[in-house]
Amino acid sequence: MYKNFVDKIYSILEFENKIVGIKLLKNESEYQKIDAVEPLKEMNYCGMVKSATNGHSIKAKEIHFKCKSAPRVIGINPDDKNNSKGEVWNKLGLYCNSKISESVRNSLTYYTPQDKCIGIQIAPIELFHDIPDVILFLTTSYMVKHTLQHNKF
């Protein structure tokens, strides 16, 4: 059934790159079974996603993330002692002052799984056997419109 969904979505829509799936991995055994490349050094989450759009499968634990926001957002480590009020973002100059940094930080939504995740797999959706926890379509506004028009997959 899932393979049919993947085949159908790729046949209806014209994507320049692969559609990306993200699977949350709950334990070490599940993590070890995943057939994917583990980063040799810290890597940004956006770089992992970009790699998956090009056909690669990556598995990563908290130690593999260069940007510490990604493990927090996806539920690997929800603690944020260094940026609980947007302090890091303010120092980096991402927002014009500390008040706005704190406001943005407080308004963000974070995934809080019932069971703690120890890692993730990021790969093209066709490499998964079941529907991944998250599916990312990285495309143009035209293709988003086209996707919405074919919403009965």
Side-chain angles (χ1 to χ4, degrees):
M1 172 115 170
Y2 176 68
K3 171 123 176 59
N4 292 338
F5 164 77
V6 171
D7 292 343
K8 186 174 182 180
I9 200 164
Y10 274 118
S11 69
I12 292 172
L13 304 171
E14 299 172 20
F15 290 102
E16 291 181 23
N17 295 308
K18 302 288 188 180
I19 300 169
V20 175
I22 300 170
K23 179 174 176 53
L24 305 173
L25 306 172
K26 307 287 188 214
N27 57 57
E28 187 65 31
S29 173
E30 184 180 19
Y31 183 86
Q32 292 304 324
K33 288 178 187 175
I34 298 296
D35 182 23
V37 175
E38 201 174 55
L40 297 176
K41 59 182 182 176
E42 287 183 332
M43 185 176 184
N44 285 319
Y45 171 75
C46 53
M48 293 178 195
V49 171
K50 174 72 173 158
S51 184
T53 67
N54 292 322
H56 304 286
S57 181
I58 295 174
K59 63 181 179 180
K61 293 181 179 179
E62 184 176 5
I63 61 168
H64 298 115
F65 290 92
K66 189 171 188 177
C67 170
K68 301 308 175 191
S69 292
R72 183 178 55 257
V73 170
I74 57 182
I76 293 175
N77 184 355
D79 295 331
D80 188 14
K81 295 176 179 93
N82 296 327
N83 196 40
S84 62
K85 295 183 180 174
E87 304 94 311
V88 174
W89 297 341
N90 186 49
K91 287 179 189 171
L92 292 172
L94 295 178
Y95 303 99
C96 65
N97 61 46
S98 61
K99 187 172 182 166
I100 291 176
S101 294
E102 182 175 3
S103 173
V104 170
R105 174 62 177 86
N106 291 335
S107 67
L108 293 176
T109 302
Y110 297 92
Y111 178 70
T112 52
Q114 290 177 342
D115 300 318
K116 187 178 189 293
C117 301
I118 64 128
I120 59 171
Q121 177 187 11
I122 303 177
I125 60 170
E126 59 270 22
L127 298 182
F128 290 92
H129 300 292
D130 298 310
I131 297 173
D133 298 300
V134 177
I135 296 177
L136 301 174
F137 293 79
L138 304 172
T139 189
T140 64
S141 57
Y142 174 78
M143 287 310 301
V144 170
K145 176 188 74 102
H146 200 60
T147 303
L148 294 173
Q149 289 171 338
H150 291 334
N151 66 359
K152 303 232 188 278
F153 294 109

